[in-house]
Amino acid sequence: MSLKQGILCTCLRRALVGACALPLVALAQQPPPEPAIAPQAQPAADTAQRDDALTLDRIIVTAQSREQELQDVPIALQVIDAQIIDDVAAEDLGDLDSFVPGLVVNSQQPTQPSFELRGISTDDFGIGTDPAVGVYVDGVYAGRGGGVLLPFTDVERIEVLKGPQGTLFGRNTAAGAISIITRKPGNEQEARAKLRLGNYGKQYFEAMLNQPVGEESAFRINGLFNHSDGWIDDAVTGEHLNPENNWATRAAFRTRFGDNTTATVSWDHENLDQRAVATTGIVALPAAPGIPGLPVDESAYLDPRKIPTVSDAVGSSEFRRFDGVTLIVDHAFEWGGLTSTTSWRDYDSANAAVDEDGTNRRDLYVDSTNTESNTSVYQEFKFNGSSDRLDWVAGASYFRESADQTSEVNTYTDAVDTIVRNLGMGLPPQVDPQGRLFGFVSDVAAANGIPLSLMGHRWNEKFINTGDTKAYAVFGDVIWHATDRLNLTFGLRWTRDEKDFTWLNNPRSAPTLDATLAQLDAFGFFAALNQMGLPISPDTFMFDIAFIDPPAMLNKGVLNKASNSWTDLSPRFVVDYHFNDDTMGYASLAKGYKAGGFNSLQIDSDFDNEDVWNFETGIKQAFPDLRLSYNASAFYYVYDNRQAVRLDMTTSIPRYVVDTSDLEAYGLDFDTRWQVTDGLALDFNASYIDSTYKDYVTPEGIDVSGQATGIPKWSAAIGLDYLWRMNEGGDLRFTLRHAYRGATRCSDESQSQGTCGISPALDLGESQQLTNARIAWTSPLGHWTWAVYGRNLLDNQYINSLGTYGKTVLGTVGARVSEPRTYGVEVGVKF
């Protein structure tokens, strides 16, 4: 070994020992019992003052089920506070992901969002599967997609924990966890309101009242209203195609019972009622009645950012009614404390008539509908205690969920006739040169004076699912303070999931078509056709075009049931070492898992638990004299048995199948904060990841082992905050935030799915940038705030997704595009 190599190895060993010591410190710092009413959180709005401009602000988090300083937590963790939420005019998690490198939130459809963290996501919206990123609100698991992406109401901060969190948070945190912490009722009277007006008809209003009731209790109530016309209008009708329309409220009450017990009960409600997401057709259409050719020429796709959008989606709407109640009781014993968390959540949602073809032609029409109802209850008992050498947390939890889902495909018999023609299922050319079925019968009826047509009838196919889930867990996490500087952590969670699931796929439903067929049959029309040598009858029109895989065809109208259970042990091991008061290094090995489940759209199809093992080492350091701190970590994980539900394009009509693969990835996370001067602050976050398939052969038979999974290597965000104090003139504050996400790494798999590198006109998967800014003036006493803001100042728009429902059968493809530049003014009042 060379001298240079020896020095390098020595440095690496020292870094590893130093990196092995942090998670136990986190448990060691047990907070004192809470006061009767928690002190009011300092408002992170423009009225916030820096009490000590000579030091860097301390950030307190609860990532390890206890209050700790961010710099003492041995987890790659990013905190978004209420100030940043205001800076970027964020209304839900979908407005923040660009500023959290490694996190991706697809929020175009609020009732069907998807989350990705460190390259791990769940590619399915069915109730048979679970997310890989757990979202928690005040410690309560938010559940699945339909009730996860809710508007922010009185949020204090958001903690994004990167990497598996199976021990601390439990099931469905294979990729990490997002913990949303709301403000609690305080012991001071307070009221505030904010009005935001912007382009595209933006109207946003929120208000809050905090009212103490005596010395031991307080109420806190919030409400918001949000409306926008949207930035896409129908080029023919002028109708707004992507409006926003929702309102929400949150009420909380906190009180004390005796000297050692406090209780907080909260109620959340949201009502969303707007049009479903808009789709722009990107295939050039011949003049009617001509239809697009097959196969689709992907190189000729049109750019949806440069062409008009039209839609004829019937009954397009996105709806959600959500209610949630949470009761948290804290009791202090001489030896420690007990926290009981009880929660009930209930929602109904519908994402109806989502335009999939992007045209306004009935002979090419197809839309999709997803309807859900969900009720869940959660109970957790958590104990904690500490001594000179040990800090511990232990508890048990129970989760129960009942869900119903209906997945539908809707079209017209005109479009069904197009599908019949394209698939060669129609009449032979010698009978009808166009190969039609519905159109031919309609023409013959008209020629014989029969005023009945088989065209223009609605056609519906649906999958109906029910799911009943029970999950039990027992967990413990112990920190041993081996020395004043060295801490060792061991945690373990045992979980059992039990699921009952049903499938029901009835034959297609077309009531008016069937009535017309019965009338024609009564007239003797089909008997006449048979005499002419054309074997056509009403039964000829009884077929399906969407759910036609073998299990579905063999079980039409049959209720199928399945039950399964899975058990998991999720440990974590952490070593952290404090080199001095300002420098800590750590190393950890942790497991996360996603519960097993079922493919909602394929009968009797289930899958096992997904496991992620993650090794991580990092350092957290502060330089008080420079008012600078940074955190850096390196990780490597193996993702076994990843289950995705994807379109199998090998059949004439695409079908959804379960797709299994193994992944691995290594990467880096880095963040830093610097208070440059009393008025100027900078922050920077970056993430690097190299994610590849370990072992994967696609349903099309493509071996992509060793190829990239599509995750960009780099993402980063930088922020600038300048506060100018003008004494009697108030305060002027300027913030600028810029985010970057690298280009998608294409593979043979992503190209076969049409999600990457398929058309020069689209540049699908290109790198993305987002720039937001805000200037705000706050009155000297902090009662008034006036601000102007801009989002996506560079007006960059990107293609988020392609709709391929009709690609192989209708020759249509739809695209959805990200939001353009938006801007507006705000006025806020606080008392």
Side-chain angles (χ1 to χ4, degrees):
M1 178 183 295
S2 68
L3 177 60
K4 182 177 181 180
Q5 290 173 323
I7 294 173
L8 177 60
C9 290
T10 300
C11 292
L12 287 174
R13 283 197 298 269
R14 290 177 178 174
L16 182 60
V17 170
C20 284
L22 176 60
L24 288 172
V25 169
L27 267 166
Q29 301 175 354
Q30 195 64 35
E34 292 185 348
I37 302 299
Q40 185 61 47
Q42 289 299 316
D46 298 295
T47 58
Q49 304 290 316
R50 291 189 174 92
D51 294 328
D52 187 354
L54 300 179
T55 62
L56 196 64
D57 294 338
R58 297 167 64 239
I59 298 178
I60 303 300
V61 299
T62 53
Q64 295 193 124
S65 297
R66 58 191 56 78
E67 290 190 351
Q68 301 170 264
E69 286 195 47
L70 175 63
Q71 294 301 106
D72 289 333
V73 179
I75 297 174
L77 171 67
Q78 184 172 342
V79 178
I80 301 293
D81 62 19
Q83 183 63 74
I84 297 178
I85 293 174
D86 280 346
D87 289 346
V88 299
E91 297 167 8
D92 58 38
L93 287 171
D95 295 326
L96 290 173
D97 62 332
S98 296
F99 304 102
V100 182
L103 175 66
V104 180
V105 180
N106 185 340
S107 60
Q108 281 198 319
Q109 301 179 85
T111 62
Q112 291 178 248
S114 63
F115 294 80
E116 174 189 300
L117 190 56
R118 279 190 175 175
I120 298 176
S121 63
T122 297
D123 298 326
D124 183 24
F125 62 87
I127 63 171
T129 189
D130 292 287
V133 180
V135 178
Y136 297 80
V137 180
D138 292 331
V140 175
Y141 179 56
R144 63 183 66 260
V148 172
L149 194 67
L150 296 172
F152 291 147
T153 50
D154 210 21
V155 171
E156 179 179 322
R157 69 181 184 278
I158 300 168
E159 300 174 9
V160 181
L161 288 71
K162 301 179 181 181
Q165 304 297 325
T167 301
L168 292 172
F169 283 86
R171 59 200 297 272
N172 306 329
T173 54
I178 300 173
S179 180
I180 301 173
I181 294 92
T182 64
R183 292 189 177 98
K184 306 302 185 292
N187 55 4
E188 294 183 3
Q189 187 178 49
E190 181 187 3
R192 67 169 181 262
K194 177 169 63 179
L195 174 65
R196 179 183 300 151
L197 301 175
N199 58 336
Y200 302 115
K202 183 68 173 182
Q203 303 170 32
Y204 180 92
F205 176 78
E206 64 175 324
M208 183 279 299
L209 172 65
N210 187 91
Q211 180 62 54
V213 182
E215 297 181 357
E216 304 291 340
S217 305
F219 285 98
R220 191 177 182 91
I221 186 167
N222 299 80
L224 68 84
F225 166 81
N226 177 42
H227 171 80
S228 172
D229 295 335
W231 49 272
I232 300 178
D233 293 335
D234 192 294
V236 175
T237 67
E239 181 183 4
H240 301 309
L241 295 182
N242 66 329
E244 298 175 291
N245 194 46
N246 68 313
W247 65 273
T249 186
R250 174 180 176 83
F253 174 70
R254 188 164 187 159
T255 190
R256 174 183 285 278
F257 300 97
D259 295 333
N260 300 320
T261 305
T262 60
T264 304
V265 61
S266 60
W267 168 64
D268 292 272
H269 174 81
E270 189 234 15
N271 184 281
L272 180 145
D273 188 3
Q274 60 195 35
R275 187 182 173 96
V277 62
T279 302
T280 302
I282 60 173
V283 174
L285 302 180
I291 58 176
L294 291 176
V296 171
D297 182 3
E298 296 176 342
S299 66
Y301 281 162
L302 305 175
D303 189 336
R305 295 162 290 194
K306 300 178 181 178
I307 59 176
T309 301
V310 295
S311 177
D312 57 355
V314 179
S316 175
S317 68
E318 188 165 17
F319 165 83
R320 177 174 58 209
R321 188 276 313 156
F322 173 89
D323 286 284
V325 178
T326 300
L327 171 64
I328 300 176
V329 179
D330 292 294
H331 182 78
F333 298 96
E334 291 184 0
W335 49 264
L338 164 66
T339 298
S340 170
T341 302
T342 307
S343 174
W344 170 85
R345 296 167 64 88
D346 181 83
Y347 71 84
D348 298 304
S349 69
N351 203 10
V354 180
D355 189 0
E356 300 291 350
D357 59 281
T359 76
N360 59 355
R361 285 179 47 173
R362 186 173 290 183
D363 60 340
L364 301 174
Y365 182 95
V366 60
D367 75 53
S368 63
T369 294
N370 180 71
T371 306
E372 292 185 40
S373 293
N374 186 293
T375 301
S376 65
V377 294
Y378 178 75
Q379 176 63 56
E380 179 186 75
F381 294 103
K382 183 167 60 181
F383 299 87
N384 63 79
S386 63
S387 65
D388 291 341
R389 286 296 181 183
L390 294 178
D391 288 286
W392 58 272
V393 173
S397 66
Y398 170 77
F399 176 77
R400 174 74 181 267
E401 176 187 56
S402 296
D404 302 294
Q405 180 180 36
T406 301
S407 305
E408 303 179 51
V409 172
N410 302 291
T411 185
Y412 286 96
T413 50
D414 310 62
V416 176
D417 212 21
T418 302
I419 294 173
V420 166
R421 294 168 59 184
N422 285 335
L423 297 182
M425 298 167 53
L427 296 171
Q430 59 269 28
V431 177
D432 184 74
Q434 300 179 57
R436 301 173 300 163
L437 177 59
F438 295 80
F440 172 80
V441 171
S442 300
D443 289 349
V444 172
N448 287 274
I450 302 176
L452 296 173
S453 174
L454 302 187
M455 308 298 281
H457 298 282
R458 292 282 286 173
W459 180 292
N460 170 271
E461 298 182 30
K462 65 178 64 174
F463 241 108
I464 301 173
N465 304 111
T466 66
D468 189 13
T469 298
K470 297 177 183 178
Y472 313 86
V474 179
F475 59 92
D477 199 69
V478 180
I479 297 178
W480 174 39
H481 308 294
T483 71
D484 292 341
R485 295 182 180 272
L486 177 64
N487 302 284
L488 305 177
T489 300
F490 172 72
L492 183 67
R493 181 183 292 255
W494 173 88
T495 305
R496 179 174 175 81
D497 288 284
E498 299 174 354
K499 293 188 177 183
D500 298 320
F501 201 75
T502 69
W503 299 264
L504 177 60
N505 177 216
N506 290 318
R508 66 99 176 118
S509 174
T512 61
L513 170 64
D514 291 338
T516 303
L517 290 171
Q519 288 180 282
L520 288 173
D521 195 30
F523 288 155
F525 179 80
F526 293 112
L529 290 181
N530 290 332
Q531 291 177 0
M532 297 169 56
L534 297 176
I536 302 175
S537 70
D539 290 341
T540 305
F541 301 88
M542 284 299 302
F543 58 88
D544 293 273
I545 59 169
F547 307 116
I548 60 170
D549 64 312
M553 296 303 295
L554 292 172
N555 290 275
K556 292 292 181 181
V558 178
L559 179 65
N560 289 265
K561 301 180 180 181
S563 298
N564 209 338
S565 60
W566 302 267
T567 302
D568 178 80
L569 284 174
S570 295
R572 77 165 183 148
F573 308 91
V574 189
V575 182
D576 70 78
Y577 185 81
H578 288 252
F579 297 97
N580 53 50
D581 292 342
D582 301 314
T583 306
M584 182 268 291
Y586 68 92
S588 66
L589 178 66
K591 180 188 177 186
Y593 91 102
K594 193 183 83 171
F598 302 90
N599 178 359
S600 298
L601 298 180
Q602 190 172 46
I603 295 172
D604 289 332
S605 174
D606 62 6
F607 45 86
D608 292 328
N609 285 350
E610 303 176 17
D611 297 332
V612 178
W613 280 96
N614 182 81
F615 173 76
E616 189 153 341
T617 182
I619 186 170
K620 298 193 173 189
Q621 189 170 23
F623 300 92
D625 293 340
L626 299 177
R627 293 183 288 184
L628 172 71
S629 68
Y630 76 90
N631 307 307
S633 64
F635 63 87
Y636 170 79
Y637 69 70
V638 177
Y639 190 1
D640 291 330
N641 198 37
R642 174 184 180 266
Q643 305 287 347
V645 175
R646 57 170 274 172
L647 278 175
D648 178 6
M649 307 294 287
T650 61
T651 57
S652 56
I653 297 179
R655 57 176 182 156
Y656 286 96
V657 297
V658 171
D659 192 23
T660 305
S661 59
D662 295 334
L663 285 62
E664 66 177 344
Y666 63 86
L668 304 168
D669 282 299
F670 177 82
D671 68 84
T672 184
R673 297 187 302 136
W674 184 22
Q675 189 69 47
V676 185
T677 68
D678 292 350
L680 177 63
L682 300 174
D683 60 82
F684 176 73
N685 297 270
S687 176
Y688 170 87
I689 184 170
D690 185 2
S691 175
T692 58
Y693 291 107
K694 286 187 64 179
D695 183 19
Y696 180 37
V697 178
T698 73
E700 295 86 1
I702 304 172
D703 188 350
V704 294
S705 302
Q707 294 190 27
T709 62
I711 307 303
K713 284 191 172 182
W714 285 101
S715 56
I718 186 170
L720 179 151
D721 180 334
Y722 187 78
L723 177 64
W724 180 24
R725 300 189 186 280
M726 299 181 292
N727 299 321
E728 290 79 6
D731 292 344
L732 188 65
R733 186 167 179 271
F734 170 73
T735 59
L736 178 69
R737 294 197 169 273
H738 180 79
Y740 167 82
R741 178 174 168 82
T744 299
R745 300 173 64 197
C746 295
S747 67
D748 294 338
E749 183 270 342
S750 60
Q751 291 181 340
S752 71
Q753 283 284 290
T755 58
C756 182
I758 58 173
S759 170
L762 297 185
D763 198 11
L764 200 64
E766 65 182 308
S767 62
Q768 300 186 11
Q769 299 190 60
L770 177 66
T771 305
N772 291 4
R774 186 171 186 263
I775 302 175
W777 173 82
T778 303
S779 63
L781 297 179
H783 293 319
W784 290 93
T785 299
W786 295 84
V788 294
Y789 71 92
R791 296 170 52 175
N792 189 17
L793 292 178
L794 302 181
D795 202 22
N796 294 317
Q797 288 186 273
Y798 305 99
I799 298 164
N800 287 336
S801 62
L802 295 184
T804 56
Y805 273 70
K807 180 179 179 181
T808 60
V809 293
L810 292 171
T812 59
V813 177
R816 291 163 190 161
V817 181
S818 63
E819 190 176 78
R821 176 171 49 234
T822 58
Y823 51 85
V825 298
E826 292 179 358
V827 57
V829 59
K830 177 182 180 296
F831 298 100

